[in-house]
Amino acid sequence: MPLLDLLYLVVVEPLLPLLAGAGLFMLTRSHLIAAGLSALGFGAWGGLYFSRLSLSGPLSGALYGLGVDGVTNGLVALAGSGYVRLIGAEARRLGTERTAIVHAVGIAFAATAFVLLFVTHGSDKVGIGLYLLMLAWSLGAVAATGSFSGVVATMALVMVAMVHGIWGAAIASGVRDAGQAYIAIFIVPPLLVPVLAIAAFGRWLGGALRVRGSHGRPG
């Protein structure tokens, strides 16, 4: 598979609808518009793309592309618009500085995880190490900043990036079914459960430490 096709499949395709949803929400302040316009736009592109490839005829391919790309990218765009709203809500509640730290580190973590798994061909050791770092960051970041939703959202983004890194490595190696990546997709929800539990503990721990600190100050 050419390099440009590989980059489009595992990098550009998931990022474009996410960014489109985020951008449209910033312009319209409507999740429905952000998801709907993205679904229509990417669905139309998918219909055109698959109409040229389908062995069952252009109409069948167009309907398939419109349905699959439209629905999938519409949901991804909805996630992008929701993420923008989450950042705004956390900035108002926690302050700009703490919010920026949580989300900047989370996005950088996701990009690094993708690259590491891609260049190491989906190494199990690298994947386990990244997951342990996720757990440690989830505990420390929530305890220090109070950003439960932001940390969980960015760690979910890290796990998606890890799946795409494994998928990209499989495709680049000539593995057609990319079985390891498909397995990774299905284990993402169970692996998010410990992240949620540790982030919840971090939230309690941070609150307890702040209360103890306030009681220890002289009146």
Side-chain angles (χ1 to χ4, degrees), residues 3-15 105-123 126-127 130-131 133-134 154-172 181:
L3 178 60
L4 290 178
D5 290 344
L6 175 63
L7 288 175
Y8 180 81
L9 186 62
V10 299
V11 180
V12 177
E13 188 176 58
L15 283 179
V105 171
I107 293 171
F109 194 168
T112 302
F114 171 83
V115 172
L116 285 176
L117 285 170
F118 182 82
V119 299
T120 61
H121 303 285
S123 166
V126 172
L130 289 169
Y131 186 69
L133 284 175
M134 284 176 57
T154 53
M155 292 305 97
L157 181 62
V158 170
M159 296 197 73
V160 172
M162 290 171 67
V163 170
H164 278 270
I166 295 170
W167 189 15
I171 295 173

Side-chain angles (χ1 to χ4, degrees), residues 109-205:
F109 194 168
T112 302
F114 171 83
V115 172
L116 285 176
L117 285 170
F118 182 82
V119 299
T120 61
H121 303 285
S123 166
D124 289 338
K125 291 181 179 179
V126 172
I128 292 171
L130 289 169
Y131 186 69
L132 292 176
L133 284 175
M134 284 176 57
L135 296 179
W137 170 253
S138 298
L139 175 62
V142 175
T145 66
S147 172
F148 175 81
S149 299
V151 169
V152 171
T154 53
M155 292 305 97
L157 181 62
V158 170
M159 296 197 73
V160 172
M162 290 171 67
V163 170
H164 278 270
I166 295 170
W167 189 15
I171 295 173
S173 300
V175 180
R176 293 186 178 182
D177 62 354
Q180 188 181 4
Y182 289 118
I183 293 172
I185 291 170
F186 288 110
I187 65 173
V188 162
L191 288 179
L192 275 175
V193 174
V195 173
L196 286 167
I198 288 180
F201 176 72
R203 185 176 185 177
W204 171 84
L205 179 62

Side-chain angles (χ1 to χ4, degrees), residues 1 40 47 49 53 101 108 122 125 127 162 167 169-170 192 210 215 218:
M1 178 177 289
L40 289 173
Y49 179 80
L53 300 178
I101 291 172
K125 291 181 179 179
M162 290 171 67
W167 189 15
L192 275 175
R210 282 187 284 273
H215 287 168

Side-chain angles (χ1 to χ4, degrees), residues 13-32:
E13 188 176 58
L15 283 179
L16 280 180
L18 191 70
L19 294 174
L24 286 169
F25 179 77
M26 293 173 67
L27 290 173
T28 65
R29 313 307 299 178
S30 170
H31 295 295
L32 181 62

